[in-house]
Amino acid sequence: VRKIQQGYVFNKYGKLKLSIVVDELWKNSIFNLFDNLKKDLKNEFNLDLFPTYGTMLGAVREGDFINHDNDFGTSYISKETEPEKVKSEFLNICEFLINKGYRLNVKDTHTWVYVENKIRFRYKLDIFISYFNRQGDYQLTYGYHGKALRKSNDFFKFTKINLSNHQIEVPSNYEEILEQL
């Protein structure tokens, strides 16, 4: 009961953890990692990294992270339209990040990027892959449940929204993206 009163919650894996909403050490570390990754991907590949999945949902719905979530989900929109080329681009991005000194755990559909913290444990940020197929439908490699969205300029125009007292940029059609997810 004491831990619950201190802000601990059961996360999506059933573990009792300090909520990321109140964990200032986590937030400072993860925003620093996000800002660095965003800058590195923009400079090297001209790709825009933006929050997605639960992170985007929390920002839009609550202006904060989802209380029981445990990570920071991000995505970029690939310049490629063929799945094999999208995958090749993703592997090039992963290789670049590893060479820059980031610690990664590469999956089929995304990668985890870790930030080490000497005080506690390491934190992770997810980078998911999204792209437009040859028909112009928005695809996410981790999956979605709604009707596919058609390519539009709104994916490439960004608007600022609040996430835990930080201004972040998301595609201007973020509500449609969330509806698709």
Side-chain angles (χ1 to χ4, degrees), residues 43-104:
N43 290 341
E44 186 68 19
F45 299 98
N46 197 29
L47 294 172
D48 294 303
L49 190 66
F50 57 90
T52 193
Y53 290 111
T55 304
M56 183 191 285
L57 177 63
V60 169
R61 187 174 65 189
E62 301 166 18
D64 211 333
F65 293 96
I66 295 173
N67 198 32
H68 60 275
D69 205 352
N70 70 329
D71 58 15
F72 191 114
T74 68
S75 185
Y76 65 90
I77 300 174
S78 173
K79 296 176 183 174
E80 302 296 339
T81 59
E82 299 293 329
E84 285 306 312
K85 289 183 179 181
V86 171
K87 184 177 180 179
S88 179
E89 177 190 54
F90 171 66
L91 293 174
N92 288 336
I93 289 168
C94 291
E95 182 178 13
F96 165 76
L97 293 175
I98 290 167
N99 289 337
K100 288 279 292 186
Y102 291 99
R103 296 205 45 209
L104 274 62

Side-chain angles (χ1 to χ4, degrees), residues 112-151:
W112 294 344
V113 184
Y114 293 100
V115 59
E116 299 291 333
N117 188 300
K118 307 237 184 282
I119 298 171
R120 254 193 272 165
F121 47 87
R122 60 187 189 182
Y123 306 115
K124 73 177 180 71
L125 178 145
D126 297 330
I127 301 178
F128 296 97
I129 310 157
S130 67
Y131 67 101
F132 294 98
N133 64 19
R134 288 192 335 195
Q135 294 76 33
D137 293 331
Y138 184 58
Q139 305 288 302
L140 289 106
T141 55
Y142 198 67
Y144 59 91
H145 303 285
K147 181 179 92 167
L149 297 175
R150 300 292 293 163
K151 186 174 185 177

